[in-house]
Amino acid sequence: MDDFTLQIICISSLLSFATFCFCYLYYYHILHPRTRSQSVTLPPSPSKLPFIGHLHLLTAMPHVTFAQLAHKLGPIIYLQLGQVPTVVISSPELAEHILKTHDHLMANRPQLIAAQYLSFGCSDVTFSPYGPYWRQARKVCVTELLSSKRVNSFRLIRDEEVNRMLRAVAAHSNSELDVSESFFRLANHILCRVAFGKRFMDENHETSSGGGGKKKELVGVLTETQALLAGFCVGDFFPRWRWVNSVSGMKRRLTKNLKDLRMVCDEIINEHLSEKRGRSGDVLEKEDFVDVLLRVQKQEDDLEVPITDDNLKALVLDMFVAGTDTTSATLEWTMTELARHPKVMARAQDEVRQIAASRGRVEESDLPHLHYLRAVIKETMRLHPPVPLLVPRESMAECTIDNKYEIPARTRVLINTYAIGRDAESWENPLEYNPERFVGKDIIDFKGQDFRFLPFGGGRRGCPGFSFGLASVEISLARLLYHFDWALPQGVGADAVDLTEIFGLATRKRSALKLVPLIKNLPV
C-alpha cells in the first residue's frame, strides 16, 4: 500500500469520525436538549470532556481513583460516564442514606450487558431488577440455599476440603509455597461441591475421575464468565448504542460464553435428574444447590413467579461466581497482613492453639470463641474489602441526599467501601493494620448495620451469602494458624511484601503471596 492510499484512508477515517461526533451533538444537544429545573442541585463534579464525559477518569483501579476524587470534591461525586449519570458515595453517613433511608428507591440494578447474557437475562439474585422475581429469588437463596441449617449441612465439605489443603501445605513444609493458588483451589473445590455436587479440579489442574472433559471444560467456561463479569464493557456506558458491543467484539465473546455455560449446565442438571434421589430427610441434608433448586422448581403452587431452567442456571452460577473470588481474596489478604505483622499472627495463633489444645484440631464449634481471629478478619476486610465498589444500584425515582443533593431517576450509584474503610473521620490511624479496633464492647458485625464497615454491602441488596463465606474463611484460617507457623521467604521483609491490587469481581493481590509453612501441629 503506497503513501497516497494511506493518506486517503486516514482522511476518510477522520471525516467519518467528525461526522459521527456532529450527528451525536446535534441529536442529543439540539434536537433533544436536556431540561432541568434551576432548583436542582447535583453533587460536585470534576471537569468532563465532550462525548465521553468522565470516562477518562476510569483507571484500572477505579476505587482508588474515586477515593482520591473524594478527597478533593467531598464524599459524594457526580460523574457522567459516557451516557450514564453516576453518583459515587465515599462516607458512612451518605452510605446510610443510600442503604437505609432511601433503600426502597435505590434497590434496582442497572442492566449491565455481561449480566444480561451470563446471568441468563439478569435472572440471578445479584443482577435481577427489583421486583417480584428478585424478591422470590432472594427468598429462595435465604431460606433454601444459604439458611443457617443449609450452611451447617455443608460442614463436612468444608472439613474435607480444608484438611485436603492442609495436607498439601504440609507437603511443602520448610519450602516456599504459593498460598494464593492454594486458597483459590480451596474456594473452587468447596463451591463446586456445594453448588454442583462434586469437585472439578484435582491438585494437578486435571479433571477428577468421572465426567472427564466436561469437568475440565466447566472450569475454563466459568473462568471466562468471571473475567467477563469483572471487566468494564464500553457498551454499558453508551446504552443507546447497541452496535458498540458488536464492533468491540464483546457481543461475540459473550454469546460464545453463554452457549458454553448452557451446555455444561445442562449436562450437570441432567446428571442430577438421572440420579433419582429419594426424598428422605437424610438425603435432603446432602442436597447441593442444583438439587435444591430442582426441588423448588417443582413446587409451582408455592411460587409467585415460575422458575425456568435458565433461572435455575443463573441462580446456581451466581452462588459459585460470587463466592469463589471473594473467599479466596479474603484468605489471601488476611494471610498477607498476618505475615507482615508477626505480633498479630502470634496473638491469633495463641488464641487458636489454646482453644484447640485438648483435641489437637480446630472444629467449627470452636469458631464462635475465636474473638481475636474474627477481629483479624474484620480488620483485613476493612483495609482490603473483597468488593471495593459495591455492585452498582440504580435509582428508581428522584430523591434528595443529605438534604441538598438531587439524585435523578435512573442514576447509577456506586458505594466505595474502600474509601469508607480508610476514612480518617471514622477510623483512628485508618491506614494502620490494627485488629484491636474490632475488639471490645462496641463490636461491629458483618451484617451491614454499621455503615463504617460494609464488606458484604447492606440494605435490600446486601449479600445473602455472608455467613456461608465466613464459615469457609474462619475454619481455613483457624486450622492454618493452629497447624503451622508461617514465615516470609528468605530475603523478603515485611515492608517488601507487594500490596498492589488487581480490580475484578474481587480485588486480589497482583503478585501471588508466597510463604514458608513450618509444621507446628501435624495435620490429620
Side-chain angles (χ1 to χ4, degrees), residues 222-332:
L222 289 177
T223 299
E224 171 72 349
T225 301
Q226 289 169 308
L228 287 167
L229 288 172
F232 285 117
C233 177
V234 175
D236 285 328
F237 304 112
F238 298 94
R240 302 188 194 103
W241 301 343
R242 297 189 177 184
W243 53 266
V244 170
N245 303 312
S246 298
V247 173
S248 67
M250 178 60 72
K251 183 177 181 180
R252 175 183 55 78
R253 191 176 167 191
L254 288 168
T255 301
K256 181 182 185 305
N257 190 239
L258 176 61
K259 179 181 177 181
D260 293 340
L261 277 176
R262 274 211 166 92
M263 180 184 69
V264 296
C265 286
D266 284 339
E267 290 185 18
I268 290 171
I269 291 171
N270 290 334
E271 186 177 280
H272 278 68
L273 290 172
S274 67
E275 291 177 358
K276 298 180 180 179
R277 295 185 177 181
R279 293 299 177 187
S280 67
D282 207 29
V283 174
L284 288 176
E285 285 293 313
K286 299 178 181 178
E287 288 181 319
D288 57 48
F289 286 168
V290 174
D291 291 321
V292 173
L293 291 172
L294 285 171
R295 172 169 54 79
V296 172
Q297 185 185 43
K298 292 180 180 179
Q299 300 169 354
E300 295 181 359
D301 294 340
D302 299 330
L303 299 175
E304 182 180 358
V305 182
I307 296 178
T308 68
D309 288 346
D310 275 358
N311 297 158
L312 187 155
K313 296 166 191 171
L315 290 170
V316 72
L317 288 172
D318 193 19
M319 300 299 103
F320 179 88
V321 171
T324 305
D325 274 8
T326 52
T327 298
S328 61
T330 301
L331 288 167
E332 179 182 54

Side-chain angles (χ1 to χ4, degrees), residues 53-297:
H54 297 103
L55 274 180
H56 63 291
L57 298 177
L58 281 185
T59 64
M61 306 300 291
H63 55 293
V64 177
T65 301
F66 293 156
Q68 293 168 348
L69 281 174
H71 280 297
K72 298 177 181 178
L73 300 176
I76 180 170
I77 301 169
Y78 181 86
L79 301 174
Q80 187 70 33
L81 300 179
Q83 298 168 345
V84 179
T86 304
V87 167
V88 183
I89 300 295
S90 300
S91 76
E93 294 79 16
L94 294 179
E96 184 173 3
H97 278 270
I98 301 299
L99 301 177
K100 185 176 181 180
T101 308
H102 297 294
D103 190 27
H104 60 297
L105 297 178
M106 298 286 181
N108 205 19
R109 293 288 197 212
Q111 301 297 283
L112 302 179
I113 291 166
Q116 290 178 36
Y117 281 85
L118 308 182
S119 295
F120 296 87
C122 292
S123 61
D124 61 349
V125 174
T126 300
F127 293 106
S128 57
Y130 185 71
Y133 175 79
W134 173 79
R135 286 191 290 269
Q136 176 178 279
R138 182 176 175 85
K139 180 180 179 181
V140 169
C141 289
V142 170
T143 62
E144 293 282 356
L145 298 179
L146 299 168
S147 65
S148 297
K149 182 179 179 181
R150 184 69 59 187
V151 171
N152 188 63
S153 75
F154 297 132
R155 178 179 296 195
L156 179 61
I157 291 175
R158 289 190 293 271
D159 184 72
E160 291 176 350
E161 293 303 332
V162 172
N163 286 341
R164 192 167 183 261
M165 177 187 68
L166 294 178
R167 291 192 291 271
V169 171
H172 288 80
S173 181
N174 296 303
S175 61
E176 190 173 299
L177 172 69
D178 186 335
V179 179
S180 297
E181 174 69 9
S182 298
F183 290 152
F184 177 78
R185 300 184 69 77
L186 171 69
N188 186 286
H189 291 326
I190 291 176
L191 266 297
C192 276
R193 291 184 63 183
V194 165
F196 309 117
K198 59 189 67 178
R199 187 187 298 116
F200 285 87
M201 295 168 60
D202 69 11
E203 296 300 324
N204 296 315
H205 295 262
E206 297 174 356
T207 57
S208 54
S209 60
K214 175 190 70 176
K215 297 179 180 180
K216 185 175 182 179
E217 186 173 2
L218 176 69
V219 176
V221 170
L222 289 177
T223 299
E224 171 72 349
T225 301
Q226 289 169 308
L228 287 167
L229 288 172
F232 285 117
C233 177
V234 175
D236 285 328
F237 304 112
F238 298 94
R240 302 188 194 103
W241 301 343
R242 297 189 177 184
W243 53 266
V244 170
N245 303 312
S246 298
V247 173
S248 67
M250 178 60 72
K251 183 177 181 180
R252 175 183 55 78
R253 191 176 167 191
L254 288 168
T255 301
K256 181 182 185 305
N257 190 239
L258 176 61
K259 179 181 177 181
D260 293 340
L261 277 176
R262 274 211 166 92
M263 180 184 69
V264 296
C265 286
D266 284 339
E267 290 185 18
I268 290 171
I269 291 171
N270 290 334
E271 186 177 280
H272 278 68
L273 290 172
S274 67
E275 291 177 358
K276 298 180 180 179
R277 295 185 177 181
R279 293 299 177 187
S280 67
D282 207 29
V283 174
L284 288 176
E285 285 293 313
K286 299 178 181 178
E287 288 181 319
D288 57 48
F289 286 168
V290 174
D291 291 321
V292 173
L293 291 172
L294 285 171
R295 172 169 54 79
V296 172
Q297 185 185 43

